[in-house]
Amino acid sequence: SEPIAIASIELFPHVDFVSYESVKDSYDKNGYKPAEKGHAIKIEAEIPNASSSQTVYPLEDVSSSLNSPSDSTRTLLNVIGGDKWQTSGQWVRYKFTPEVSGLYNIVARYKQNVNDGLFSSRQIYIYGGQYNGIPFSEATKTRFNYSDEWVVEAMGDGENTFEFYFEAGVEYTVVFEVSLGSMGDMVRRVETALKTINAAYLNIIKLTGTSPDNYRDYGFTRVLPDAVTDMKLMSNELYAIAEYLEKEAGIKGSNIATLDRVAWLLDEMSSDEDVIAKNLSELKSYIGNLATWISTAKCQPLLVDYFMIQSSEDKLPRANAGFFSEFGYEMRKFFMSFIRNYDRMGSQHEITEEDEAIEVWLAYGRDQSQVIRNLVNNNFTPETGIMVDLKLVAGGTLLPS
């Protein structure tokens, strides 16, 4: 619903990306080796150089004592993403400069605990040195599997762990963009199946009406053979998609169970025409569930704590803290809950007497106040140099006075 002005449109030939196998062969030919240990670069994900929109902004996560940074006494914006970074085309950008030349992995500490049984994907762009965009075709479908806990692993597509050659002293820019990746093929197949199932359903209600007689023999196999055949074919297709997703994700969640339920009903209805009429209302409901599944699969949520640019010879950081560390962290949070001032929205910087600052009282809820806090941090303070101390006050107390 926004106006747009187009100056020109250019058509140019499509260029296929090289495969990761070809890139690995070039590493061997050029004699590239893994970078020396101990030269890892840590990038805090919540501090990108740029993002595609203001909806992709830092968030607070207090689920683990290993979050970087972590503090039980105050609110820290220490992660980025989640459901704020899930729509195709959204991206975040970071810059770094290696100290030594060699092959590096891009390691992420992340959590994808929203779409159970599915995986999220990101497309990697790299600029600087020998890179000028997507380095190889597999980088368009970098995969992050579902997990209830934090995960630390080198980026890959499920089959390969990617290595990138970076030169010492060269500034590189890496961009992570939301994409459907391998999930795009599954979404297209389910969309095709949904159209076919919906067409079969419409043909059936043309014969039976919206309230069919369960005791009448409509002769579906004789009158509508194509509709019955389509239901059988789509049942097999949905079973195949569910099996593929379960194998790739390593878990059978509710999203895969949805495909199995629809496939089972289609198999029952196509195998016995006597149950078609009495299951029509259930089929209608399942068609809606399938449309919801497609909408869910197109969302690619991902919560990221930090990225590490490190050699494959470096040990991966721990993903989750031990029992005693986590217990101590939770206890500190518990005791701080009694003395922490939740009415102060704070500032990004410590405000001293010499600083130019203003104090603002807000009679809003915390969600609205957090939006204002983000606007102040991202726009007002950088443009004016004036720091803002936000405080929440009760409207019933402020207005009468």
Side-chain angles (χ1 to χ4, degrees), residues 234-266:
M234 292 307 101
S235 172
N236 295 335
E237 174 74 342
L238 293 179
Y239 272 134
I241 295 172
E243 183 180 359
Y244 169 82
L245 291 175
E246 183 177 358
K247 178 182 176 182
E248 293 298 312
I251 183 175
K252 185 172 183 177
S254 61
N255 288 292
I256 296 177
T258 297
L259 298 179
D260 281 337
R261 286 196 300 270
V262 179
W264 174 83
L265 180 62
L266 292 173

Side-chain angles (χ1 to χ4, degrees), residues 128-198:
Q130 67 193 56
Y131 298 108
N132 188 30
I134 297 175
F136 40 81
S137 59
E138 286 81 356
T140 62
K141 47 187 178 182
T142 307
R143 181 177 300 179
F144 301 88
N145 289 326
Y146 173 85
S147 176
D148 283 330
E149 297 183 334
W150 286 96
V151 177
V152 173
E153 65 180 8
M155 291 189 180
D157 63 350
E159 297 179 1
N160 304 293
T161 298
F162 301 150
E163 286 187 309
F164 306 89
Y165 181 76
F166 297 133
E167 297 179 22
V170 176
E171 184 181 65
Y172 290 91
T173 300
V174 60
V175 179
F176 302 104
E177 181 181 299
V178 181
S179 70
L180 292 181
S182 302
M183 188 62 68
D185 295 331
M186 298 301 104
V187 170
R188 282 189 288 271
R189 289 173 63 180
V190 175
E191 284 179 336
T192 301
L194 177 59
K195 292 178 182 178
T196 305
I197 296 169
N198 197 46

Side-chain angles (χ1 to χ4, degrees), residues 243-400:
E243 183 180 359
Y244 169 82
L245 291 175
E246 183 177 358
K247 178 182 176 182
E248 293 298 312
I251 183 175
K252 185 172 183 177
S254 61
N255 288 292
I256 296 177
T258 297
L259 298 179
D260 281 337
R261 286 196 300 270
V262 179
W264 174 83
L265 180 62
L266 292 173
D267 185 41
E268 287 288 306
M269 295 175 69
S270 60
S271 301
D272 184 2
E273 66 173 14
D274 292 336
V275 302
I276 292 179
K278 63 182 180 182
N279 283 318
L280 270 183
S281 60
E282 191 172 4
L283 178 61
K284 179 182 178 182
S285 174
Y286 278 9
I287 288 174
N289 293 343
L290 212 53
T292 302
W293 186 95
I294 293 173
S295 177
T296 300
K298 286 182 177 180
C299 294
Q300 302 285 294
L302 184 67
L303 192 68
V304 183
D305 183 15
Y306 59 77
F307 297 101
M308 297 290 294
I309 312 297
Q310 66 178 57
S311 169
S312 58
E313 297 183 350
D314 282 316
K315 186 179 179 181
L316 292 178
R318 292 184 62 182
N320 296 283
F323 171 78
F324 292 105
S325 175
E326 204 64 37
F327 178 78
Y329 176 68
E330 293 296 331
M331 290 301 297
R332 288 193 300 272
K333 284 169 52 182
F334 172 72
F335 287 115
M336 285 304 302
S337 68
F338 293 100
I339 59 177
R340 181 176 167 183
N341 187 351
Y342 290 94
D343 293 334
R344 294 182 68 95
M345 298 302 292
S347 173
Q348 268 193 321
H349 308 281
E350 185 175 353
I351 300 176
T352 63
E353 294 181 358
E354 293 77 17
D355 293 323
E356 185 178 5
I358 56 176
E359 184 175 297
V360 178
W361 293 356
L362 299 172
Y364 297 122
R366 287 195 63 84
D367 291 340
Q368 294 91 335
S369 301
Q370 187 61 56
V371 172
I372 297 176
R373 175 78 271 168
N374 293 333
L375 290 173
V376 169
N377 293 345
N378 297 330
N379 298 99
F380 180 78
T381 299
E383 292 175 2
T384 64
I386 302 174
M387 286 181 278
V388 179
D389 185 12
L390 297 184
K391 294 182 180 180
L392 300 185
V393 297
T397 303
L398 175 66
L399 296 178

